[in-house]
Amino acid sequence: MSGNVEHNILRQTEAAKTLLRSIAEDGCEDSALSSDMIEGETGLFEAVESALSEIDECEVLIAGLKEKEKAFADRRRSIEVRAERIRAMIEQAMLATEQHSMRLPTATISLREIKPGIVVLNEADIPARFWIEQERPAPKLDKKALSEAIKIEQIPGVTLDNGSISLSVRRK
């Protein structure tokens, strides 16, 4: 339908331009008369009205699609939460039964320890040597250097978390 609307506007615009040239050649410079002639002798007004209806239909479709996209995003988030919850249950089951890996027909799963990470308690207490200079907006914390240094010395404003366990799933 969109192609028909566009083609019709182009065709009616050409007809109106031809009519305006004809009126100008006759020496008439009355804009009200020109407008009335275009309305009466061409289908430009109807073509524009049809195009406006097409725009309205597009806007309705856009609004509906935005709602569908939102519903799909909500559904995706719900499924992601469910998958994470199931992963956590598998981790807990393996920890409770002291299984560090399992070979299954569809996958090999294993638990791996994640090293303790840094937890910034107060950035203001962290020594300047752990900050990377930047032009804007402010210096950036060098977490890699901080992570290495905290293993061998106590640094104000920073502590380590307890680390954690992560489930690794390999499928072939």
Side-chain angles (χ1 to χ4, degrees):
M1 175 117 176
S2 175
N4 292 340
V5 169
E6 294 167 13
H7 176 71
N8 194 23
I9 286 179
L10 288 174
R11 202 173 52 156
Q12 294 304 322
T13 300
E14 286 303 316
K17 286 176 15 183
T18 302
L19 182 63
L20 286 175
R21 273 195 301 273
S22 174
I23 292 171
E25 288 173 359
D26 289 344
C28 181
E29 306 245 346
D30 185 2
S31 64
L33 176 65
S34 296
S35 180
D36 289 344
M37 291 286 289
I38 289 172
E39 183 178 1
E41 298 294 322
T42 70
L44 183 62
F45 281 45
E46 291 82 6
V48 169
E49 187 66 37
S50 177
L52 289 174
S53 292
E54 182 83 13
I55 289 171
D56 290 343
E57 187 175 329
C58 288
E59 289 174 350
V60 167
L61 289 171
I62 289 168
L65 288 170
K66 283 182 179 179
E67 281 301 311
K68 273 296 190 190
E69 288 169 350
K70 181 185 174 300
F72 283 138
D74 291 345
R75 177 100 172 111
R76 186 197 76 240
R77 280 189 293 277
S78 172
I79 292 169
E80 288 170 346
V81 166
R82 180 174 178 240
E84 285 303 312
R85 191 174 58 244
I86 292 170
R87 285 181 72 89
M89 291 176 72
I90 292 170
E91 287 176 17
Q92 298 233 341
M94 290 178 72
L95 285 170
T97 59
E98 298 179 6
Q99 300 294 308
H100 296 289
S101 82
M102 291 179 159
R103 296 180 66 87
L104 305 169
T106 57
T108 299
I109 59 175
S110 57
L111 295 178
R112 63 181 177 88
E113 287 189 32
I114 298 176
K115 296 177 188 173
I118 60 170
V119 177
V120 176
L121 301 174
N122 187 358
E123 286 185 352
D125 292 342
I126 299 174
R129 65 186 170 128
F130 296 108
W131 292 91
I132 299 170
E133 289 296 323
Q134 293 182 332
E135 288 184 31
R136 295 233 162 178
K140 177 182 167 187
L141 189 60
D142 185 352
K143 290 187 178 179
K144 184 178 179 183
L146 192 57
S147 184
E148 291 299 316
I150 199 165
K151 292 176 187 173
I152 55 177
E153 65 179 291
Q154 186 132 12
I155 299 171
V158 179
T159 188
L160 287 175
D161 65 18
N162 292 331
S164 63
I165 301 289
S166 174
L167 180 66
S168 172
V169 179
R170 289 179 300 205
R171 300 177 192 264
K172 292 187 182 188

